[in-house]
Structures are given as structure tokens and as C-alpha cells.
Amino acid sequence: MTTPFPFSAVVGQDDLRLALLLNAVSPQVGGVLVRGEKGTAKSTAVRALSALLPGVAVVPGCRFSCDPTAPDPSCPDGPHERGDGAARPARMVELPVGASEDRLVGALDIERALAEGVKAFEPGLLADAHRGILYVDEVNLLHDHLVDLLLDAAAMGASYVEREGVSVRHAARFLLVGTMNPEEGELRPQLLDRFGLTVEVAASREPEQRVEVVRRRLAYDDDPAGFAARWADEEAAVRQRIGAARELLPSVRLGDGALRQIAATCAAFEVDGMRADIVMARTATALAAWAGRTEVLAEDVRQAALLALPHRRRRNPFDAPGLDEDKLDETLEEFSGEGDGGGDDDPDPGPGGPGGGGQPGPQDGDGSAPPEAGDGGESRTSAAGAGEQSAVRAAEPFRTKVLSVPGIGTGAAGRRSRARTEQGRTIGARRPQGVLSKLHLAATVRAAAPHQRARGRGGAGLVLRRDDLRQAVREGRESNLVLFVVDASGSMAARQRMSAVKGAVLSLLLDAYQRRDKVGLVTFRGSAAEVALPPTSSVDAAAARLESLPTGGRTPLAAGLLKAHDVLRVERLRDPSRRALVVVVTDGRATGGPEPVALASRAARLLAAEEVASVVVDCESGPVRLGLAGRLAGELGGSAVTLDELRADAIAGLVKDVTSRRAA
């Protein structure tokens, strides 16, 4: 077995370590979601935690890790008699991103059930993780139906498996830990709420701390066992402190003053439901136990809020996570009571907790572009060159109609286009290819019925063979790659159109966020085009790049379309199943480079030849319009829609019109 990196040897990341330790002290806190950029010790810290957890006693031979002092009466391997049991270390079970539903919850052997009448159930990862840790790396990349099953089990403490009339239930109580890189996409708010705590992590910007990270990592890689031995005393101390805090936890008093502060804080930040209040109360209690106290103080409530509320507060999709700490301190001060939960203005979070709640400084302040002083959406002429324009702010976003890719795909689960999926409505049946997972019972019976006499079956009953089994074919929805090709030339900046254009693109980004699409951003201006954002699941990143997009110069339309073609070609190699929708935002003018109009026409026909679904958002304005965007849409094999029509019902039929024209 590989020696894990010692938990106490992790450099910095105080909030991450504290959140994990609080869940180790009180698993009822509900787990932790760790959000941060790649290479910030997220997975290392989680894997290291499992070595600190106390061992568990289990019923010998039970595949579901029943507690011998209180065995589960519904255990599929039961019933069990009460006894001493056997001790084993707490498990950490990893759920792979590509796991199937059967691998997660367990699988029923359908062939044996039909042919032999045997209910043969094979436990899944939820059963393996019972009374341990279930770790989901890149939880935001899991299919939604897996996340639903996972979080339902975490909330109920049990897993229910229903397969063709057979029901299996077993206990599934575990510490749920998920990690994710926000650049690869977000979790839905209702799923975020099921994680007890959340932590934002970022790499240190202090050279000395970064040097220490590298030094320790190299030492560990050279001699894992020796490195772990050097940290054995610190690990033993942390393990002992976890045990002491667990014993102290039932004695911790949560007074009315602290409860009032918790309720007032949740109300002040407008969190939905009551789960936040409960999680804050459990977290504050665990903080007091970790600090060796039997009374919850204001500092515990403050730290609990910083861990339990950032992912639950109401915010727009593109707002940065985190809490307004000044508002938090004002609320705690206003509702501070006498005695318990008193209002300390400058609280010290106590042993094991960092000061200030752990929102990393570099992420709190300035964004990707400095604010424009009083620009109100207007642009200023830069001294760098004639026609160069600074970034303008986007107009208010609005709700757009659905743009879909025609045909049926097989891509990642989402909400945009029709696709063959494991979930969704059943539309037919086929012979199984590989392991049978979704039985189409009626089709199976129809396939077996004509052969019953030949198989010697004259009375009641049905003789089934492997060749009779039919797999259900299901249709759901898939997410797509929405590639925005945005004209940022000087003609777009005229008459303050860029503000409206950015508002329209931001509205389409909101739609992509809701439909769980990947997005990319290509811009063209001056003499060339560039990939402002490679295809990603983070629409937040796309919105940030759009906000800082400058304008000015000529219009190299052909370069923009060819750059989009290159992006799509690379993306098809990476993910052949994901289909693309190209949204070209332009007034249709082509003025950059030699023979700009002819080159733009050839580039458009190149995309059309590859049957790339496209829509042109026509940004031309004024009383006299040349109709260039409509001409471009025709060469792309797509349709054009004006900024005003982007809000109208007419857009709903755009792609259908494109499909019918191609069919004709």
C-alpha cells in the first residue's frame, strides 16, 4: 500500500485542513466541498485525512460494514447478532468520474434473477464507504444523476437500489468530500447546498512558503516511508486531538445567544431553507470541541459562517463566492448576547483555525480589468493608436430562447440537445452490447415468446435465454460546446453598440450555464483573431474575459471564422461526442487583410461543409442596413437574428429552419 503524504506536513491551506478536521470530529457536519485551482493540495489533504481517523469495528464477513454493537436490521447480509466484531482501519473510497450508476449504488445480476430467480446483489461504492470517507475528485464533472444519488444517500444515511421490482436497502453513512476546479464548471446550487462546508483554496504567493512546499514534496517523493516517519509524532498528536474532541463533543453547550447569532447570520445573507442554520450549529459545536471548550463562542459562530455559508448565499451565476466579512461582523455584533455567544469584534478562531476565515486575498479584490471611472458603458480612445478602444461594460443580461444543435448526439449529460443517454425516457430496445444494465422487460418477453414451444415449455411460465434479453434505449438531453465568435472591431464600437453586444453574449452565457454547456470565446479585431478562452465548462471565466474585451481596429472576419474552425477541430479530437454550436456576433463587415470579403466567404463555406450548426447575431444598426450578417449566415448554412430578435419567440425556430433548408 502506498504511504500517504502526512496530513500535518501539508503547508498552509489552513481553512482546508480545519474543514476536514471538523468533519472528522463531527461527521454530522455533512462533508466538505473543496474548490480551487489545480495543484493546491486538495487531493493530497483529503487522502491524508483517512490515516488520522479512528478505526472501526465491523461484523465479520459483512460486506456492508455493520457496527457489531448496533447492526443494521435491514442489512442485506443480515440479520446479525450483537457481538464484539473485528476492528479495521476507516476506509477512504474514491468515486471515479467515469463510474456508472451500478458501480456507485450496487448492481443486481439481472441474468441470474431472470434465469434462476436469485436476487444476487453486488454492493457498490456507497456500501464500501459506509462508516468511512467517500472522496469524489472533480465532483463537478460527475453526471447529474450520479450526483443526485450520491447526495441523497449522504443526506438519508442509506442507499436504496430498485431494479425491476427488486428492492435493496443498506446503510450508507460516510464523510463526503468533493474537490473541484471551478474553471472546469460549477455545481448546481441545489447540489452545492448538500455539502456541509465549502473551502476556497489557492496557491500561496509567498516565495518562502512555495519553497517549503517544493522541499517537502521532493523529500516525500524520494522516500515516502522515511518522510512519513519524520512526521509520525505530529500525526499522532493530531489523531489524539481528534479523539479527544470526539469525546468532548456531546458535552459542548450551544447557548441561545449563539443560536440567535446563527439564525440572524443566515437571514442576513438570505440563504434558502434551514440546512444552513443546522450546519452552522453543528460546525460551531465542532469548533468548540476542537478548541477544547464546552461552550460555543462568537468566534466559533463567525468561523462556522465563513465555512458553511459562501456556497449557500444567494448570488448571480457569475458572482464570486465568499462572504462580506464586514456585514458578517456587524450582524454578529448586533445579535451578540450577554454571556454565551458574546460579540468579540476581532475574534481569534482558536486552535487549528486561521484568522479571518480564509478567503484568499488575491481573489477578493480586483478582477481581470481595472474599473473605468464613470464610463457608464462608454469607451475612451487610447493613446496607443487611432481607433483603439478600452473595454466597455456589458448591458443587463436577459433571458434568451433555446438554441439547439439539430439531430441526436451521444455527448455529456446536459439540457440543450437530444441525445442517447443512460437516463431519460425509454424510446426503444436493442440487443445488449456488453453488460446488460437497463432491461427492457416487454421487449425481452416479446423476443422470448415465439420460442417457448421449441424450448419445451407447454405450461405456465417463461423460459428465457441470453439471446432474448433486450437493452432499453433511452433518450435524454446533452450539453454542447457553444463557441462564441465575437467581432471586436472598430465598426462594432461605433454608436455604443458594444455594450448591447456584450449584454447579449452575457445572456447567452447565462443560458449556457443553465444548460451545462462548455463554452469558448474567439475574438477578432485589428489584423488577427485570437482564442480569448479555450473551450471550458467555466462560464464564469468566459464572462470575465468578455467584460475585459477591448474594441477597435479593422474587421478580420475571415481570421475569426478560421480560428473558430481550428478550435472546433482540436475539440473534436479531444471529445468526439460533444457537438458544437457556433454563435457569430458581428455586423457582417469584413475589412481586414487582402480580399477580406472573398476570404470571409470561403471561411464560412468551410464551416458549412463540415455541417457545424451556427447562428449569426446581427449587430448592424441604424436606418440603413446592408444585410451583411444575413448573407454571412446563408454562407454558414445557419440563420441570422438581430439583437432585438434575440429576445423574441422567432428565435425558437431558427435551427429548425436551418435543418429544413439543409434537408431540402
Side-chain angles (χ1 to χ4, degrees):
M1 180 179 178
T2 304
T3 304
F5 191 91
F7 186 85
S8 52
V10 174
V11 178
Q13 308 297 11
D14 295 329
D15 287 342
L16 169 58
R17 291 188 290 132
L18 178 61
L20 292 172
L21 289 170
L22 293 177
N23 276 276
V25 170
S26 176
Q28 288 186 323
V29 165
V32 58
L33 175 66
V34 187
R35 296 163 40 95
E37 59 197 30
K38 53 187 176 292
T40 49
K42 300 188 299 293
S43 300
T44 298
V46 175
R47 293 187 176 100
L49 178 68
S50 61
L52 299 177
L53 297 180
V56 295
V58 297
V59 173
C62 178
R63 298 174 298 167
F64 301 87
S65 301
C66 281
D67 185 350
T69 62
D72 181 6
S74 302
C75 176
D77 283 355
H80 303 299
E81 297 292 334
R82 293 178 181 268
D84 295 335
R88 66 161 174 78
R91 290 175 180 163
M92 190 192 77
V93 177
E94 294 194 39
L95 174 61
V97 169
S100 64
E101 179 180 340
D102 290 341
R103 184 71 185 100
L104 176 63
V105 301
L108 186 69
D109 191 331
I110 298 176
E111 295 184 27
R112 289 189 62 192
L114 290 175
E116 305 174 23
V118 176
K119 296 180 182 179
F121 179 72
E122 184 67 26
L125 296 177
L126 291 179
D128 294 341
H130 180 46
R131 304 175 68 199
I133 299 174
L134 182 61
Y135 172 48
V136 189
D137 193 14
E138 307 295 351
V139 64
N140 52 324
L141 301 184
L142 277 180
H143 286 292
D144 285 346
H145 72 282
L146 290 183
V147 177
D148 291 337
L149 291 170
L150 175 66
L151 297 179
D152 283 344
M156 295 185 296
S159 175
Y160 296 85
V161 184
E162 304 289 342
R163 291 290 187 274
E164 279 71 42
V166 178
S167 177
V168 176
R169 178 236 177 245
H170 64 83
R173 293 184 295 275
F174 46 82
L175 170 58
L176 177 63
V177 181
T179 59
M180 60 175 282
N181 183 349
E183 293 182 357
E184 296 172 342
E186 293 284 355
L187 281 172
R188 287 176 290 159
Q190 59 267 42
L191 302 183
L192 282 173
D193 186 52
R194 304 302 285 271
F195 285 93
L197 308 180
T198 187
V199 176
E200 296 281 334
V201 297
S204 172
R205 300 299 185 258
E206 295 294 330
E208 290 301 321
Q209 196 170 64
R210 296 175 73 97
V211 166
E212 186 61 24
V213 169
V214 175
R215 182 181 292 120
R216 292 187 187 182
R217 186 69 210 189
L218 293 178
Y220 170 78
D221 291 340
D222 289 341
D223 183 10
F227 183 81
R230 292 196 293 275
W231 288 88
D233 292 343
E234 287 83 353
E235 292 287 275
V238 175
R239 190 179 297 109
Q240 182 178 3
R241 187 173 175 184
I242 291 174
R246 281 190 171 189
E247 293 180 3
L248 183 62
L249 187 64
S251 304
V252 175
R253 175 176 173 267
L254 181 65
D256 290 342
L259 279 173
R260 281 194 297 272
Q261 287 184 315
I262 290 171
T265 301
C266 292
F269 286 98
E270 299 182 345
V271 297
D272 295 326
M274 295 298 299
R275 184 175 284 119
D277 304 62
I278 297 170
V279 171
M280 272 190 67
R282 289 172 173 166
T283 305
T285 303
L287 279 162
W290 178 249
R293 288 185 270 102
T294 58
E295 187 175 359
V296 174
L297 304 180
E299 61 201 52
D300 301 320
V301 176
R302 185 182 194 278
Q303 184 68 49
L306 292 169
L307 293 172
L309 296 188
H311 60 304
R312 292 188 168 92
R313 71 174 179 86
R314 288 188 180 180
R315 63 186 182 100
N316 293 324
F318 302 141
D319 289 349
L323 293 183
D324 182 341
E325 295 193 33
D326 291 337
K327 180 179 179 180
L328 173 60
D329 290 335
E330 291 173 4
T331 304
L332 294 177
E333 177 65 25
E334 180 181 354
F335 288 88
S336 63
E338 297 180 2
D340 35 61
D344 185 355
D345 287 336
D346 187 17
D348 179 359
Q359 297 302 322
Q363 295 181 349
D364 289 344
D366 47 326
S368 57
E372 298 291 345
D375 61 4
E378 296 182 2
S379 58
R380 298 179 300 177
T381 302
S382 169
E388 187 77 9
Q389 303 288 331
S390 61
V392 297
R393 294 175 181 171
E396 285 297 317
F398 51 86
R399 185 175 183 84
T400 67
K401 296 297 182 179
V402 179
L403 297 172
S404 300
V405 177
I408 298 179
T410 57
R415 294 181 177 180
R416 185 171 296 276
S417 302
R418 297 169 57 200
R420 297 280 189 258
T421 64
E422 290 297 318
Q423 266 59 44
R425 62 188 182 92
T426 300
I427 61 170
R430 60 171 173 78
R431 290 181 181 273
Q433 300 172 354
V435 178
L436 176 67
S437 58
K438 302 290 183 182
L439 179 73
H440 195 300
L441 187 58
T444 299
V445 172
R446 285 197 299 268
H451 307 290
Q452 295 307 296
R453 180 170 296 181
R455 294 173 184 173
R457 191 61 150 178
L462 189 68
V463 177
L464 293 177
R465 294 181 180 173
R466 181 184 295 272
D467 290 343
D468 301 326
L469 300 178
R470 294 296 182 268
Q471 175 90 26
V473 177
R474 303 192 178 203
E475 183 179 285
R477 309 292 287 184
E478 68 174 352
S479 68
N480 301 143
L481 166 61
V482 182
L483 182 62
F484 294 94
V485 184
V486 180
D487 183 349
S489 64
S491 64
M492 293 287 288
R495 294 184 292 276
Q496 308 306 321
R497 279 185 288 164
M498 203 60 195
S499 178
V501 168
K502 286 188 176 182
V505 178
L506 189 61
S507 303
L508 291 167
L509 283 172
L510 279 167
D511 182 71
Y513 167 82
Q514 294 165 352
R515 301 182 189 283
R516 297 192 276 287
D517 295 318
K518 288 183 73 173
V519 296
L521 180 61
V522 172
T523 64
F524 56 95
R525 60 189 287 264
S527 60
E530 66 173 351
V531 180
L533 182 72
T536 175
S537 294
S538 175
V539 290
D540 290 2
R545 298 283 166 70
L546 178 70
E547 190 67 26
S548 61
L549 178 66
T551 60
R554 301 182 72 83
T555 311
L557 178 57
L561 297 176
L562 291 175
K563 182 66 71 173
H565 178 269
D566 291 342
V567 171
L568 295 180
R569 178 179 55 81
V570 173
E571 189 64 17
R572 276 194 293 268
L573 294 175
R574 293 175 176 170
D575 189 354
S577 64
R578 191 182 294 271
R579 297 185 294 162
L581 172 65
V582 175
V583 179
V584 185
V585 185
T586 181
D587 57 9
R589 298 186 184 186
T591 60
E595 299 183 355
V597 177
L599 286 176
S601 179
R602 285 200 290 269
R605 290 197 296 269
L606 177 63
L607 287 169
E610 297 186 1
E611 297 187 343
V612 176
S614 60
V615 173
V616 178
V617 179
D618 183 358
C619 301
E620 192 175 23
S621 62
V624 179
R625 304 194 181 191
L626 302 178
L628 299 176
R631 193 178 308 164
L632 173 64
E635 292 172 334
L636 285 168
S639 291
V641 55
T642 66
L643 290 174
D644 292 335
E645 291 171 341
L646 197 56
R647 306 171 184 257
D649 293 338
I651 199 171
L654 283 179
V655 177
K656 292 182 180 178
D657 294 342
V658 175
T659 308
S660 61
R661 284 204 303 272
R662 285 179 177 170

